[in-house]
Amino acid sequence: MAYNNESTVSEFVLLGLSKSWGLQLVLFTIFFVIYVTSVLGNIMIIVIIFSDSHLNSPMYFLLSNLSFIDICQSNFATPKMLVDFFVEHKTISFEGCMAQIFLLHSFVGSEMMLLVAMGYDRFVAICKPLHYNLIMNRRVCIIFVSISWAVGILHSVSHLAFTVNLPFCGPNEVDSFFCDLPLVIKLACMDTYRMEILTLANSGMISLSCFLALIISYIIILVTVQRQSSSGSSKALSTLTAHITVVILFFGPCIYFYIWPFSRLSVDKFLSVFYTICTPLLNPIIYSLRNEDVKSALRKLRNSHINPGKN
């Protein structure tokens, strides 16, 4: 598929979430709080994990990398959206738009693969506990993280390779607060049907395959947990519940977008908000506030600063 580079559009206009000044102030306040909480919360998780030797395990190593991806995802579009609440004419350059598309799909693809790695970690820990340290060593964890980033970047490049050369010669209004790939493709001055199918196949394949892999692994884990004694399985079940909650909240909107990617409803814009702004907050809230090990490490870190001389 080859296109002549006839692009005359040098910037895109982002229509944002609302034209009401009062509502934009309210949304700015809400999203600013969520953004700051998300970034600081994920930074806190990384600091806690690397400062406490008791959290030197594969699960927390993967969790710290998940926090890093969430920090990246929080910053690819949210800061510009917050600034744009005070700008009447919201624009983004062609290069900036392509960069947003690349970053979003890189981070999302990487996070999907990392969630699969975390699911596999829980599978080994619960179903093969005697072999856990042998299977889930540091080298394997680094390989999982490297594969996650590689898949995310390749997934993003495969989108961008087609999108960047599309002929944008007129319409340039994107009905969102960031450059959403399906909406940008719709602005091309050509029949985009084949592009739509390629986008659906690419993103749909990685989303559904990761989701199905996680569901199958969690079903096996749940069956295994039910066979164990209640005293030994309560902690495993609590951790598993946190994982399942994040998977459902993360993959739900993603799968929805790529089942009906080009027939947008008004609710889709608010699902985009949840997916890009609120999802990075799930990690600190669900994984950490319900995790006794992390809470204990946080208390020790706090006490070490309050009473530095006390061992």
Side-chain angles (χ1 to χ4, degrees):
M1 188 182 299
Y3 312 108
N4 294 325
N5 193 359
E6 303 172 354
S7 300
T8 58
V9 172
S10 60
E11 66 179 18
F12 293 95
V13 177
L14 303 176
L15 299 183
L17 298 174
S18 173
K19 294 186 181 299
S20 168
W21 173 244
L23 181 57
Q24 288 190 79
L25 284 178
V26 173
L27 293 176
F28 169 82
T29 304
I30 294 173
F31 295 149
F32 179 77
V33 172
I34 294 175
Y35 169 71
V36 172
T37 305
S38 174
V39 172
L40 293 181
N42 281 292
I43 291 175
M44 179 191 69
I45 289 177
I46 295 174
V47 171
I48 289 173
I49 289 175
F50 281 95
S51 63
D52 195 311
S53 60
H54 295 92
L55 301 182
N56 186 23
S57 68
M59 183 180 78
Y60 292 110
F61 175 78
L62 296 175
L63 181 59
S64 65
N65 280 275
L66 182 65
S67 289
F68 177 75
I69 294 178
D70 283 338
I71 292 171
C72 295
Q73 188 173 333
S74 295
N75 285 282
F76 92 95
T78 306
K80 175 171 173 51
M81 182 198 69
L82 294 173
V83 172
D84 281 348
F85 278 127
F86 300 97
V87 177
E88 184 175 356
H89 191 60
K90 306 170 176 59
T91 61
I92 184 171
S93 67
F94 180 87
E95 293 79 10
C97 185
M98 295 301 109
Q100 280 194 344
I101 292 173
F102 172 78
L103 292 174
L104 172 63
H105 287 272
S106 294
F107 299 147
V108 171
S110 299
E111 184 155 349
M112 286 181 184
M113 294 302 296
L114 194 59
L115 286 172
V116 172
M118 294 175 71
Y120 178 74
D121 171 77
R122 291 300 85 202
F123 170 80
V124 175
I126 295 173
C127 300
K128 299 181 180 295
L130 298 179
H131 301 90
Y132 179 73
N133 291 330
L134 180 64
I135 297 174
M136 291 300 299
N137 54 57
R138 181 53 64 95
R139 178 174 172 272
V140 170
C141 291
I142 293 174
I143 290 174
F144 278 153
V145 172
S146 301
I147 291 175
S148 297
W149 278 104
V151 170
I153 291 172
L154 287 174
H155 166 67
S156 185
V157 168
S158 66
H159 279 312
L160 206 62
F162 294 109
T163 308
V164 73
N165 289 318
L166 287 174
F168 297 101
C169 54
N172 67 338
E173 291 188 343
V174 180
D175 188 17
S176 184
F177 60 95
F178 70 99
C179 283
D180 196 358
L181 178 61
L183 298 180
V184 172
I185 289 176
K186 274 293 188 183
L187 299 177
C189 302
M190 59 170 287
D191 182 6
T192 59
Y193 177 74
R194 286 193 294 173
M195 276 294 299
E196 295 172 11
I197 296 301
L198 283 172
T199 301
L200 176 62
N202 188 342
S203 296
M205 181 177 66
I206 187 173
S207 302
L208 286 174
S209 59
C210 290
F211 183 70
L212 289 175
L214 285 166
I215 291 299
I216 292 172
S217 65
Y218 288 145
I219 289 175
I220 297 174
I221 293 172
L222 285 172
V223 171
T224 304
V225 168
Q226 285 183 341
R227 293 174 179 173
Q228 295 175 351
S229 62
S230 58
S231 59
S233 63
S234 57
K235 184 177 180 180
L237 189 60
S238 176
T239 304
L240 188 61
T241 302
H243 280 257
I244 294 174
T245 303
V246 169
V247 166
I248 293 174
L249 292 176
F250 180 83
F251 280 92
C254 182
I255 292 174
Y256 168 81
F257 284 141
Y258 291 103
I259 292 177
W260 297 283
F262 298 94
S263 299
R264 290 302 176 108
L265 304 172
S266 57
V267 71
D268 293 357
K269 189 180 293 188
F270 295 96
L271 280 176
S272 296
V273 170
F274 174 81
Y275 193 65
T276 57
I277 301 174
C278 300
T279 297
L281 190 61
L282 296 178
N283 189 13
I285 292 178
I286 296 178
Y287 280 119
S288 304
L289 296 182
R290 300 181 71 256
N291 188 302
E292 289 299 327
D293 292 334
V294 173
K295 288 193 288 186
S296 175
L298 178 60
R299 285 193 295 267
K300 287 194 292 184
L301 184 64
R302 182 187 59 195
N303 292 335
S304 67
H305 285 83
I306 296 175
N307 302 305
K310 184 177 179 179
N311 188 355

